[in-house]
Coordinates of all heavy atoms in Angstrom, one line a residue:
M1 N -4.0 -15.2 -18.7 CA -3.7 -14.0 -18.3 C -2.2 -13.7 -18.5 O -1.4 -14.5 -18.1 CB -4.1 -13.7 -17.0 CG -4.0 -12.3 -16.4 SD -4.6 -12.1 -14.7 CE -3.0 -12.4 -13.8
E2 N -1.8 -12.6 -19.0 CA -0.4 -12.3 -19.2 C 0.1 -11.6 -18.0 O -0.5 -10.8 -17.3 CB -0.3 -11.3 -20.4 CG 1.0 -11.5 -21.2 CD 1.0 -10.6 -22.4 OE1 0.1 -10.8 -23.3 OE2 1.7 -9.6 -22.3
T3 N 1.4 -12.0 -17.5 CA 2.0 -11.4 -16.4 C 2.5 -10.1 -16.6 O 3.2 -9.9 -17.7 CB 3.1 -12.3 -15.8 OG1 2.7 -13.6 -15.5 CG2 3.7 -11.8 -14.5
L4 N 2.3 -9.1 -15.8 CA 2.8 -7.7 -16.0 C 4.2 -7.7 -15.5 O 4.7 -8.2 -14.7 CB 2.0 -6.8 -15.1 CG 0.6 -6.6 -15.3 CD1 0.0 -5.8 -14.2 CD2 0.3 -5.7 -16.6
A5 N 4.9 -6.8 -16.4 CA 6.4 -6.5 -16.1 C 6.2 -5.3 -15.0 O 5.3 -4.5 -15.0 CB 7.1 -6.1 -17.3
E6 N 7.3 -5.3 -14.2 CA 7.3 -4.2 -13.1 C 7.1 -2.8 -13.6 O 6.5 -2.0 -13.0 CB 8.5 -4.4 -12.2 CG 8.2 -3.8 -10.8 CD 9.2 -4.2 -9.9 OE1 9.8 -5.3 -10.0 OE2 9.5 -3.4 -8.9
E7 N 7.7 -2.6 -14.8 CA 7.7 -1.2 -15.3 C 6.3 -0.8 -15.8 O 6.0 0.3 -16.1 CB 8.8 -1.0 -16.5 CG 8.6 -1.9 -17.7 CD 9.5 -3.2 -17.6 OE1 9.9 -3.5 -16.4 OE2 9.7 -3.9 -18.5
E8 N 5.4 -1.8 -16.0 CA 4.1 -1.5 -16.3 C 3.2 -1.1 -15.1 O 2.1 -0.7 -15.2 CB 3.4 -2.7 -17.0 CG 4.0 -3.1 -18.2 CD 3.5 -4.4 -18.8 OE1 3.8 -5.4 -18.4 OE2 2.7 -4.2 -19.8
F9 N 3.7 -1.4 -13.9 CA 2.9 -1.1 -12.6 C 2.3 0.3 -12.6 O 1.2 0.5 -12.3 CB 3.7 -1.5 -11.4 CG 4.0 -2.8 -11.1 CD1 4.7 -3.3 -10.1 CD2 3.6 -3.9 -12.1 CE1 5.1 -4.7 -9.9 CE2 3.8 -5.2 -11.9 CZ 4.6 -5.6 -10.8
P10 N 3.2 1.4 -12.7 CA 2.7 2.7 -12.6 C 1.5 3.0 -13.5 O 0.5 3.6 -13.1 CB 3.8 3.6 -13.1 CG 5.1 2.8 -12.8 CD 4.7 1.3 -13.0
E11 N 1.5 2.4 -14.7 CA 0.4 2.7 -15.6 C -0.8 2.0 -15.1 O -2.0 2.5 -15.2 CB 0.7 2.1 -17.0 CG -0.1 2.6 -18.1 CD 0.2 2.1 -19.4 OE1 1.4 2.1 -19.7 OE2 -0.7 1.7 -20.2
I12 N -0.7 0.8 -14.5 CA -1.8 0.0 -13.9 C -2.4 0.8 -12.8 O -3.6 0.8 -12.6 CB -1.4 -1.5 -13.6 CG1 -0.9 -2.2 -14.7 CG2 -2.5 -2.2 -12.8 CD1 -1.9 -2.5 -15.9
Y13 N -1.5 1.3 -11.9 CA -2.1 2.1 -10.7 C -2.9 3.3 -11.2 O -4.0 3.5 -10.7 CB -0.9 2.6 -10.0 CG -0.1 1.5 -9.3 CD1 1.4 1.7 -9.3 CD2 -0.6 0.4 -8.7 CE1 2.1 0.8 -8.8 CE2 0.2 -0.5 -8.1 CZ 1.7 -0.4 -8.2 OH 2.4 -1.2 -7.6
E14 N -2.4 3.9 -12.2 CA -3.2 5.1 -12.8 C -4.5 4.7 -13.5 O -5.5 5.3 -13.3 CB -2.3 5.9 -13.8 CG -1.3 6.8 -13.0 CD -0.2 7.4 -13.9 OE1 -0.4 7.4 -15.0 OE2 0.8 7.6 -13.3
Q15 N -4.5 3.6 -14.2 CA -5.6 3.1 -14.8 C -6.7 2.6 -13.8 O -7.9 2.9 -14.0 CB -5.3 2.0 -15.7 CG -4.7 2.3 -17.0 CD -4.2 1.2 -17.9 OE1 -4.3 0.0 -17.4 NE2 -3.6 1.4 -19.1
A16 N -6.2 2.1 -12.7 CA -7.1 1.5 -11.7 C -7.7 2.6 -11.0 O -9.0 2.7 -10.7 CB -6.3 0.6 -10.8
L17 N -7.0 3.6 -10.7 CA -7.5 4.9 -10.0 C -8.7 5.5 -10.8 O -9.7 6.0 -10.3 CB -6.4 5.9 -9.7 CG -6.8 7.1 -8.9 CD1 -7.3 6.7 -7.5 CD2 -5.6 8.0 -8.6
K18 N -8.3 5.6 -12.2 CA -9.4 6.2 -13.1 C -10.6 5.3 -13.2 O -11.7 5.8 -13.2 CB -8.8 6.3 -14.5 CG -8.3 7.8 -14.7 CD -8.1 7.9 -16.3 CE -7.0 9.1 -16.4 NZ -6.1 8.9 -17.5
Y19 N -10.4 4.0 -13.3 CA -11.5 3.1 -13.5 C -12.4 3.0 -12.2 O -13.6 3.1 -12.4 CB -10.9 1.6 -13.7 CG -11.9 0.5 -14.0 CD1 -12.3 0.3 -15.3 CD2 -12.4 -0.2 -13.0 CE1 -13.2 -0.6 -15.6 CE2 -13.3 -1.2 -13.2 CZ -13.7 -1.4 -14.5 OH -14.7 -2.4 -14.7
F20 N -11.8 2.9 -11.0 CA -12.6 2.8 -9.8 C -13.0 4.1 -9.2 O -14.0 4.3 -8.6 CB -11.9 2.0 -8.8 CG -11.7 0.5 -9.2 CD1 -10.5 0.0 -9.5 CD2 -12.7 -0.3 -9.2 CE1 -10.4 -1.4 -9.8 CE2 -12.7 -1.7 -9.6 CZ -11.4 -2.1 -9.9
G21 N -12.1 5.1 -9.3 CA -12.4 6.5 -8.8 C -11.7 6.6 -7.4 O -11.5 5.7 -6.8
E22 N -11.4 7.9 -7.1 CA -10.7 8.3 -5.9 C -11.4 7.8 -4.7 O -10.9 7.2 -3.7 CB -10.4 9.7 -5.9 CG -9.5 10.2 -6.9 CD -9.2 11.6 -6.9 OE1 -9.8 12.4 -6.1 OE2 -8.5 12.1 -7.9
Q23 N -12.8 8.1 -4.6 CA -13.6 7.8 -3.4 C -13.6 6.2 -3.2 O -13.4 5.9 -2.0 CB -15.1 8.2 -3.7 CG -15.9 7.9 -2.6 CD -15.8 8.9 -1.4 OE1 -15.5 10.1 -1.5 NE2 -15.9 8.4 -0.2
A24 N -13.8 5.4 -4.2 CA -13.8 4.0 -4.1 C -12.5 3.5 -3.6 O -12.4 2.6 -2.8 CB -14.2 3.4 -5.4
Q25 N -11.4 4.0 -4.2 CA -10.1 3.5 -3.7 C -9.7 4.0 -2.4 O -8.9 3.3 -1.7 CB -9.0 3.9 -4.8 CG -9.2 3.3 -6.1 CD -9.5 1.7 -6.1 OE1 -10.7 1.5 -5.7 NE2 -8.6 0.9 -6.3
A26 N -10.2 5.1 -2.0 CA -10.0 5.6 -0.5 C -10.7 4.6 0.4 O -10.1 4.2 1.4 CB -10.5 7.0 -0.3
C27 N -11.8 4.2 0.1 CA -12.6 3.3 0.8 C -11.9 1.8 0.8 O -11.8 1.3 1.8 CB -14.0 3.0 0.3 SG -15.1 4.5 0.7
Q28 N -11.3 1.5 -0.2 CA -10.6 0.3 -0.4 C -9.4 0.3 0.5 O -9.1 -0.7 1.1 CB -10.2 0.1 -1.9 CG -9.5 -1.3 -2.1 CD -10.5 -2.5 -2.0 OE1 -11.7 -2.4 -2.3 NE2 -10.0 -3.6 -1.4
A29 N -8.7 1.4 0.5 CA -7.5 1.6 1.3 C -7.9 1.3 2.9 O -7.2 0.7 3.6 CB -6.9 2.9 1.2
M30 N -9.1 1.9 3.3 CA -9.5 1.7 4.7 C -9.7 0.3 4.9 O -9.4 -0.3 6.0 CB -10.7 2.6 4.9 CG -10.5 4.0 4.9 SD -12.0 5.0 5.5 CE -12.6 5.4 3.8
E31 N -10.3 -0.4 4.0 CA -10.6 -1.8 4.1 C -9.3 -2.7 4.2 O -9.2 -3.6 5.1 CB -11.5 -2.3 3.0 CG -12.1 -3.7 3.1 CD -12.9 -4.1 2.0 OE1 -13.8 -3.3 1.5 OE2 -12.8 -5.3 1.6
E32 N -8.4 -2.4 3.3 CA -7.1 -3.1 3.3 C -6.3 -2.8 4.7 O -5.7 -3.7 5.1 CB -6.4 -2.8 2.1 CG -7.0 -3.1 0.8 CD -7.3 -4.6 0.7 OE1 -6.8 -5.4 1.4 OE2 -8.0 -5.0 -0.3
C33 N -6.4 -1.5 5.1 CA -5.7 -1.2 6.4 C -6.3 -2.1 7.5 O -5.5 -2.7 8.3 CB -6.0 0.2 6.7 SG -4.9 1.4 5.9
G34 N -7.5 -2.2 7.5 CA -8.3 -3.1 8.6 C -7.8 -4.5 8.5 O -7.5 -5.2 9.5
E35 N -7.6 -5.0 7.2 CA -7.3 -6.4 7.0 C -5.9 -6.7 7.4 O -5.5 -7.6 8.1 CB -7.5 -6.8 5.6 CG -9.0 -6.9 5.2 CD -9.2 -7.2 3.7 OE1 -8.3 -7.3 3.0 OE2 -10.5 -7.2 3.3
L36 N -5.0 -5.7 7.1 CA -3.6 -5.8 7.6 C -3.5 -5.8 9.0 O -2.8 -6.5 9.7 CB -2.7 -4.8 6.9 CG -1.2 -4.8 7.2 CD1 -0.6 -6.1 6.8 CD2 -0.5 -3.6 6.5
I37 N -4.2 -4.9 9.7 CA -4.2 -4.8 11.2 C -4.6 -6.1 11.8 O -3.9 -6.7 12.7 CB -5.1 -3.6 11.6 CG1 -4.5 -2.3 11.3 CG2 -5.3 -3.7 13.2 CD1 -5.5 -1.1 11.5
R38 N -5.6 -6.7 11.3 CA -6.1 -8.0 11.8 C -5.0 -9.0 11.7 O -4.8 -9.8 12.6 CB -7.4 -8.4 11.1 CG -8.7 -7.8 11.7 CD -9.9 -8.5 11.2 NE -10.1 -8.5 9.8 CZ -10.6 -7.4 9.1 NH1 -11.0 -6.4 9.8 NH2 -10.6 -7.5 7.8
V39 N -4.4 -9.2 10.5 CA -3.5 -10.3 10.4 C -2.1 -10.1 11.1 O -1.5 -11.0 11.6 CB -3.2 -10.7 8.9 CG1 -4.5 -11.4 8.2 CG2 -2.6 -9.6 8.1
L40 N -1.8 -8.7 11.2 CA -0.6 -8.4 12.0 C -0.8 -8.7 13.4 O 0.1 -9.4 14.1 CB -0.3 -6.9 11.9 CG 0.4 -6.4 10.6 CD1 0.5 -5.0 10.5 CD2 1.8 -7.0 10.4
N41 N -2.0 -8.6 13.9 CA -2.3 -8.9 15.3 C -2.2 -10.4 15.5 O -1.6 -10.8 16.4 CB -3.7 -8.4 15.6 CG -4.1 -8.7 17.1 OD1 -3.3 -8.4 18.0 ND2 -5.2 -9.2 17.3
K42 N -2.8 -11.2 14.6 CA -2.8 -12.6 14.7 C -1.4 -13.1 14.6 O -1.0 -14.0 15.3 CB -3.6 -13.2 13.7 CG -5.1 -13.1 13.9 CD -6.0 -13.6 12.8 CE -7.6 -13.5 13.2 NZ -8.4 -13.8 12.1
A43 N -0.6 -12.6 13.7 CA 0.8 -13.1 13.5 C 1.7 -12.7 14.5 O 2.5 -13.6 15.0 CB 1.3 -12.7 12.0
F44 N 1.7 -11.5 15.0 CA 2.7 -11.0 15.9 C 2.2 -10.9 17.4 O 3.0 -11.3 18.2 CB 3.2 -9.7 15.5 CG 4.1 -9.9 14.1 CD1 3.4 -9.6 13.0 CD2 5.4 -10.3 14.2 CE1 4.2 -9.8 11.7 CE2 6.0 -10.6 13.0 CZ 5.5 -10.2 11.8
N45 N 1.0 -10.5 17.6 CA 0.6 -10.5 19.1 C 0.2 -11.9 19.5 O 0.5 -12.2 20.7 CB -0.6 -9.6 19.2 CG -0.2 -8.1 19.3 OD1 1.0 -7.8 19.5 ND2 -1.1 -7.2 19.2
R46 N -0.4 -12.6 18.7 CA -0.7 -14.0 19.1 C 0.3 -15.1 18.8 O 0.2 -16.2 19.0 CB -2.1 -14.5 18.5 CG -3.3 -13.6 19.0 CD -4.5 -14.2 18.4 NE -5.6 -13.3 18.2 CZ -6.7 -13.5 17.6 NH1 -6.9 -14.5 16.9 NH2 -7.6 -12.5 17.6
K47 N 1.4 -14.5 18.1 CA 2.6 -15.3 17.7 C 2.2 -16.6 17.0 O 2.6 -17.7 17.3 CB 3.3 -15.8 19.0 CG 3.7 -14.7 19.8 CD 5.1 -14.0 19.6 CE 5.5 -13.1 20.5 NZ 6.0 -11.9 20.0
D48 N 1.3 -16.3 16.0 CA 0.8 -17.5 15.2 C 1.4 -17.3 13.7 O 1.0 -16.6 12.9 CB -0.7 -17.5 15.2 CG -1.3 -18.7 14.6 OD1 -0.5 -19.5 13.9 OD2 -2.4 -19.1 14.8
D49 N 2.5 -18.1 13.5 CA 3.3 -18.0 12.2 C 2.4 -18.4 11.0 O 2.8 -17.9 9.9 CB 4.5 -18.9 12.2 CG 5.7 -18.4 13.1 OD1 5.4 -17.3 13.6 OD2 6.6 -19.1 13.3
K50 N 1.4 -19.1 11.1 CA 0.6 -19.4 9.9 C 0.0 -18.2 9.2 O -0.5 -18.2 8.1 CB -0.5 -20.5 10.2 CG -1.7 -20.0 11.0 CD -2.6 -21.2 11.1 CE -3.9 -20.7 11.8 NZ -4.3 -21.5 12.9
Y51 N -0.1 -17.1 10.1 CA -0.7 -15.8 9.6 C 0.3 -15.0 8.8 O 0.0 -13.9 8.2 CB -1.3 -15.0 10.6 CG -2.6 -15.6 11.1 CD1 -2.8 -16.4 12.2 CD2 -3.8 -15.4 10.4 CE1 -3.9 -17.1 12.6 CE2 -5.0 -16.0 10.7 CZ -5.1 -16.8 11.9 OH -6.2 -17.4 12.2
L52 N 1.5 -15.4 8.8 CA 2.6 -14.6 8.1 C 2.3 -14.5 6.6 O 2.6 -13.5 5.9 CB 4.0 -15.1 8.3 CG 4.5 -14.9 9.8 CD1 5.9 -15.5 10.0 CD2 4.6 -13.4 10.2
L53 N 1.7 -15.6 6.0 CA 1.4 -15.6 4.6 C 0.3 -14.6 4.3 O 0.3 -13.9 3.3 CB 1.0 -16.9 4.2 CG 2.0 -18.0 4.0 CD1 1.4 -19.4 3.6 CD2 3.0 -17.7 3.0
Y54 N -0.7 -14.5 5.3 CA -1.7 -13.6 5.1 C -1.2 -12.1 5.3 O -1.7 -11.2 4.7 CB -2.8 -13.8 6.1 CG -3.5 -15.1 5.9 CD1 -3.4 -16.2 6.8 CD2 -4.2 -15.4 4.8 CE1 -3.9 -17.3 6.7 CE2 -4.8 -16.6 4.6 CZ -4.7 -17.6 5.5 OH -5.3 -18.8 5.3
V55 N -0.2 -11.9 6.2 CA 0.4 -10.7 6.3 C 1.0 -10.3 4.9 O 0.8 -9.1 4.5 CB 1.6 -10.6 7.4 CG1 2.4 -9.3 7.4 CG2 0.9 -10.8 8.8
A56 N 1.8 -11.2 4.3 CA 2.3 -10.8 3.0 C 1.2 -10.4 2.0 O 1.3 -9.4 1.2 CB 3.1 -12.1 2.5
E57 N 0.1 -11.1 2.0 CA -1.0 -10.9 1.0 C -1.6 -9.5 1.3 O -1.8 -8.7 0.4 CB -2.1 -12.0 1.2 CG -3.2 -11.8 0.3 CD -4.3 -12.8 0.5 OE1 -4.1 -13.8 1.1 OE2 -5.5 -12.6 0.0
E58 N -1.8 -9.2 2.6 CA -2.4 -7.9 3.0 C -1.4 -6.8 2.7 O -2.0 -5.6 2.3 CB -3.0 -7.9 4.4 CG -4.1 -9.0 4.6 CD -5.2 -8.8 3.6 OE1 -5.4 -7.7 3.1 OE2 -5.9 -9.8 3.3
I59 N -0.1 -7.0 2.9 CA 0.8 -5.9 2.5 C 0.7 -5.6 1.1 O 0.7 -4.4 0.7 CB 2.3 -6.4 2.9 CG1 2.5 -6.2 4.4 CG2 3.3 -5.4 2.2 CD1 3.8 -6.9 4.9
A60 N 0.7 -6.6 0.2 CA 0.5 -6.5 -1.2 C -0.8 -5.6 -1.5 O -0.8 -4.7 -2.3 CB 0.5 -7.8 -2.0
D61 N -2.0 -6.1 -1.0 CA -3.2 -5.4 -1.2 C -3.1 -4.0 -0.8 O -3.5 -3.1 -1.7 CB -4.3 -6.1 -0.3 CG -4.8 -7.4 -0.8 OD1 -4.4 -7.7 -2.0 OD2 -5.6 -8.0 -0.1
L62 N -2.5 -3.7 0.3 CA -2.5 -2.2 0.8 C -1.5 -1.4 0.0 O -1.9 -0.4 -0.4 CB -2.1 -2.2 2.3 CG -2.2 -0.8 2.8 CD1 -3.5 -0.1 2.8 CD2 -1.8 -0.9 4.4
E63 N -0.5 -2.1 -0.4 CA 0.6 -1.2 -1.2 C 0.0 -0.9 -2.6 O 0.2 0.1 -3.1 CB 1.8 -2.2 -1.4 CG 2.9 -1.9 -0.4 CD 4.2 -2.6 -0.8 OE1 4.2 -3.4 -1.8 OE2 5.2 -2.4 -0.1
I64 N -0.7 -1.8 -3.1 CA -1.4 -1.6 -4.5 C -2.3 -0.5 -4.4 O -2.3 0.5 -5.3 CB -2.0 -2.9 -5.0 CG1 -0.9 -3.9 -5.4 CG2 -3.0 -2.6 -6.1 CD1 -1.5 -5.4 -5.7
V65 N -3.2 -0.5 -3.4 CA -4.1 0.7 -3.3 C -3.4 2.1 -2.8 O -3.8 3.1 -3.4 CB -5.3 0.3 -2.4 CG1 -5.0 0.3 -1.0 CG2 -6.5 1.2 -2.8
L66 N -2.4 1.9 -2.1 CA -1.6 3.1 -1.7 C -1.0 3.7 -2.8 O -0.9 4.9 -3.0 CB -0.7 2.9 -0.6 CG -1.2 2.6 0.8 CD1 -0.2 2.3 1.8 CD2 -2.2 3.6 1.3
E67 N -0.4 2.8 -3.7 CA 0.2 3.4 -4.9 C -0.7 4.2 -5.8 O -0.4 5.1 -6.4 CB 0.7 2.2 -5.8 CG 2.0 1.6 -5.2 CD 3.3 2.6 -5.2 OE1 3.3 3.5 -6.0 OE2 4.2 2.3 -4.4
Q68 N -2.0 3.8 -5.8 CA -3.1 4.6 -6.5 C -3.4 5.9 -5.8 O -3.5 6.9 -6.5 CB -4.4 3.7 -6.6 CG -4.2 2.4 -7.4 CD -5.3 1.5 -7.3 OE1 -6.5 1.9 -7.5 NE2 -5.1 0.3 -6.9
L69 N -3.5 5.8 -4.5 CA -3.8 7.0 -3.8 C -2.7 8.0 -3.9 O -2.9 9.3 -4.0 CB -4.0 6.8 -2.3 CG -5.3 6.0 -2.0 CD1 -5.5 5.8 -0.4 CD2 -6.6 6.5 -2.6
K70 N -1.4 7.6 -4.0 CA -0.2 8.5 -4.1 C -0.3 9.3 -5.4 O 0.3 10.3 -5.6 CB 1.0 7.7 -4.1 CG 1.5 7.3 -2.7 CD 2.5 6.1 -2.6 CE 3.6 6.2 -3.6 NZ 4.4 4.9 -3.3
R71 N -1.0 8.7 -6.4 CA -1.1 9.4 -7.7 C -2.3 10.4 -7.8 O -2.5 11.0 -8.9 CB -1.2 8.3 -8.8 CG 0.1 7.6 -9.0 CD 0.0 6.3 -9.7 NE 1.3 5.9 -10.1 CZ 2.3 5.2 -9.2 NH1 1.9 5.0 -8.0 NH2 3.4 4.9 -9.7
I72 N -3.1 10.6 -6.8 CA -4.1 11.7 -6.9 C -3.3 12.9 -6.8 O -2.4 13.2 -5.9 CB -5.0 11.5 -5.6 CG1 -5.8 10.2 -5.7 CG2 -6.0 12.8 -5.4 CD1 -6.7 9.9 -4.4
P73 N -3.5 13.8 -7.8 CA -2.8 15.1 -8.0 C -2.6 15.9 -6.7 O -1.5 16.4 -6.4 CB -3.6 15.9 -9.0 CG -4.3 14.7 -9.8 CD -4.6 13.7 -8.8
E74 N -3.7 16.0 -5.9 CA -3.7 16.9 -4.6 C -2.8 16.1 -3.6 O -2.4 16.9 -2.6 CB -5.1 17.1 -4.1 CG -5.9 18.0 -5.0 CD -6.5 17.2 -6.2 OE1 -6.4 15.9 -6.2 OE2 -7.3 17.8 -6.9
I75 N -2.5 14.9 -3.7 CA -1.7 14.2 -2.7 C -0.3 14.0 -3.2 O 0.6 14.1 -2.3 CB -2.4 12.7 -2.5 CG1 -3.7 12.9 -1.8 CG2 -1.5 11.9 -1.7 CD1 -4.5 11.7 -1.7
S76 N 0.0 13.9 -4.5 CA 1.2 13.4 -5.0 C 2.4 14.3 -4.5 O 3.4 13.6 -4.0 CB 1.1 13.5 -6.5 OG 2.3 13.0 -7.1
D77 N 2.4 15.6 -4.6 CA 3.6 16.3 -4.3 C 3.9 16.3 -2.8 O 5.0 16.2 -2.4 CB 3.4 17.8 -4.7 CG 3.6 17.9 -6.2 OD1 4.1 17.0 -6.8 OD2 3.2 19.0 -6.8
F78 N 2.8 16.5 -2.0 CA 3.0 16.4 -0.5 C 3.4 15.1 -0.1 O 4.2 15.0 0.9 CB 1.7 16.9 0.1 CG 1.3 18.3 -0.1 CD1 0.2 18.7 -0.8 CD2 2.1 19.3 0.5 CE1 -0.1 20.0 -1.0 CE2 1.9 20.6 0.3 CZ 0.7 21.0 -0.5
Y79 N 2.9 14.0 -0.7 CA 3.4 12.7 -0.4 C 4.9 12.6 -0.5 O 5.6 12.2 0.4 CB 2.7 11.6 -1.2 CG 3.4 10.4 -1.2 CD1 3.5 9.6 -0.1 CD2 4.2 10.0 -2.3 CE1 4.2 8.3 -0.1 CE2 5.0 8.9 -2.4 CZ 4.9 8.1 -1.2 OH 5.7 6.9 -1.2
K80 N 5.4 13.0 -1.7 CA 6.8 13.0 -2.0 C 7.7 13.7 -1.0 O 8.7 13.2 -0.5 CB 7.1 13.5 -3.4 CG 6.6 12.5 -4.5 CD 6.8 13.1 -5.9 CE 6.0 12.2 -6.9 NZ 5.8 12.9 -8.2
I81 N 7.3 15.0 -0.7 CA 7.9 15.8 0.4 C 7.9 15.2 1.6 O 9.0 15.0 2.4 CB 7.3 17.2 0.4 CG1 7.4 17.9 -0.9 CG2 7.9 17.9 1.6 CD1 6.7 19.2 -1.1
N82 N 6.8 14.7 2.1 CA 6.7 14.0 3.4 C 7.5 12.7 3.5 O 8.2 12.5 4.5 CB 5.2 13.6 3.8 CG 4.5 14.8 4.4 OD1 4.8 15.1 5.6 ND2 3.7 15.5 3.6
K83 N 7.5 11.9 2.4 CA 8.3 10.7 2.5 C 9.8 11.1 2.6 O 10.5 10.4 3.4 CB 8.0 9.9 1.2 CG 8.7 8.5 1.3 CD 8.2 7.6 0.2 CE 9.0 6.2 0.4 NZ 8.6 5.3 -0.6
M84 N 10.3 12.1 1.8 CA 11.7 12.4 1.9 C 12.1 13.0 3.3 O 13.0 12.5 3.9 CB 11.9 13.6 0.9 CG 13.4 13.9 0.6 SD 14.4 12.5 0.1 CE 13.7 12.0 -1.4
I85 N 11.2 13.8 3.9 CA 11.5 14.3 5.3 C 11.5 13.1 6.2 O 12.5 13.0 7.1 CB 10.4 15.3 5.7 CG1 10.6 16.6 4.8 CG2 10.5 15.7 7.2 CD1 9.4 17.6 4.9
K86 N 10.5 12.2 6.2 CA 10.5 11.2 7.2 C 11.6 10.1 7.0 O 12.1 9.7 8.0 CB 9.1 10.6 7.2 CG 8.0 11.6 7.7 CD 6.6 11.1 7.4 CE 5.6 12.2 7.7 NZ 5.3 12.3 9.1
L87 N 12.0 9.9 5.8 CA 13.1 8.9 5.6 C 14.4 9.5 6.0 O 15.2 8.8 6.6 CB 13.1 8.6 4.1 CG 12.2 7.4 3.6 CD1 12.4 7.2 2.1 CD2 12.5 6.1 4.4
N88 N 14.5 10.9 5.9 CA 15.8 11.5 6.3 C 15.8 11.4 7.9 O 16.8 11.2 8.4 CB 15.9 12.9 5.8 CG 16.5 13.0 4.4 OD1 17.6 12.5 4.2 ND2 15.6 13.4 3.5
K89 N 14.7 11.7 8.5 CA 14.6 11.7 9.9 C 14.9 10.3 10.4 O 15.7 10.0 11.4 CB 13.2 12.0 10.4 CG 13.1 13.3 11.1 CD 11.7 13.6 11.7 CE 11.2 14.9 11.5 NZ 9.8 15.1 11.8
L90 N 14.4 9.2 9.8 CA 14.6 7.9 10.1 C 16.1 7.6 10.0 O 16.7 6.9 10.9 CB 13.8 7.0 9.3 CG 13.9 5.4 9.5 CD1 13.6 5.0 10.9 CD2 13.0 4.7 8.5
A91 N 16.7 7.9 8.9 CA 18.1 7.7 8.6 C 19.0 8.3 9.8 O 19.9 7.7 10.3 CB 18.5 8.2 7.3
E92 N 18.6 9.5 10.2 CA 19.3 10.2 11.3 C 19.2 9.4 12.6 O 20.0 9.2 13.2 CB 18.7 11.6 11.4 CG 19.6 12.8 11.5 CD 18.9 14.0 11.6 OE1 18.5 14.4 12.8 OE2 18.7 14.7 10.6
T93 N 17.9 9.0 12.8 CA 17.7 8.2 14.0 C 18.5 7.0 14.2 O 19.1 6.7 15.2 CB 16.2 7.9 14.1 OG1 15.4 9.1 14.1 CG2 15.8 7.1 15.4
I94 N 18.6 6.3 13.0 CA 19.3 4.9 13.1 C 20.8 5.2 12.7 O 21.5 4.1 12.6 CB 18.6 3.9 12.2 CG1 18.6 4.3 10.7 CG2 17.2 3.7 12.7 CD1 18.1 3.2 9.9
G95 N 21.2 6.4 12.5 CA 22.6 6.6 12.2 C 23.0 6.2 10.8 O 24.2 6.0 10.5
G96 N 22.0 6.3 9.9 CA 22.3 5.9 8.5 C 22.8 7.1 7.6 O 22.9 8.2 8.1
Ligands
LIG1 MG1 -6.9 -7.6 1.5

C-alpha cells in the first residue's frame, strides 16, 4: 500500500463520501463519536493513561469521517461560516 500525501486527503474524503454515501457516513460519524466518548471517559475521568493511545485513534477516526460530512454541499458553506464565527468567539474569550 502506498502512503498518501497530505495534499491528497481532500480527494480521498470526497471519494469516500461518494463511495459509501452520505447516510452511511452520517451513521459512521455517530459510531465514531460514541467510540471517542468512551475512550475519553476512560482516559480522563478514570485517569487511565493507557487509553490515551485509543483517544488518538478515535480522534483520527472521527476527524476522517467529519472531513467527509463537511463536504456535503448542504453542509459545507454553513460549516465554514459557523467555524469562523465560533473560532472568533473563542479567540475573543481567551484574549487572542
Ligand atoms: Mg473508531
Side-chain angles (χ1 to χ4, degrees):
M1 190 177 89
E2 216 174 289
T3 305
L4 293 169
E6 201 165 332
E7 58 268 18
E8 294 176 285
F9 292 177
E11 197 178 321
I12 298 300
Y13 298 138
E14 281 165 28
Q15 287 173 354
L17 187 59
K18 262 193 201 142
Y19 184 87
F20 293 109
E22 295 176 2
Q23 178 76 36
Q25 294 316 77
C27 291
Q28 186 67 36
M30 288 186 266
E31 191 178 316
E32 298 301 349
C33 284
E35 289 173 0
L36 181 58
I37 289 168
R38 274 194 302 279
V39 293
L40 283 171
N41 181 49
K42 286 176 180 169
F44 293 98
N45 281 346
R46 295 188 204 165
K47 309 270 186 224
D48 192 340
D49 285 353
K50 76 175 182 232
Y51 285 98
L52 290 176
L53 288 177
Y54 297 114
V55 169
E57 180 182 344
E58 295 308 332
I59 287 172
D61 284 348
L62 185 56
E63 271 188 351
I64 289 168
V65 76
L66 290 180
E67 286 294 337
Q68 294 170 54
L69 295 184
K70 282 160 42 178
R71 286 166 167 78
I72 294 173
E74 295 83 356
I75 291 174
S76 185
D77 288 345
F78 291 114
Y79 159 75
K80 288 174 192 161
I81 291 166
N82 274 288
K83 186 167 182 182
M84 188 57 63
I85 291 168
K86 288 166 193 281
L87 277 176
N88 276 303
K89 249 189 223 168
L90 177 62
E92 226 178 86
T93 302
I94 62 175

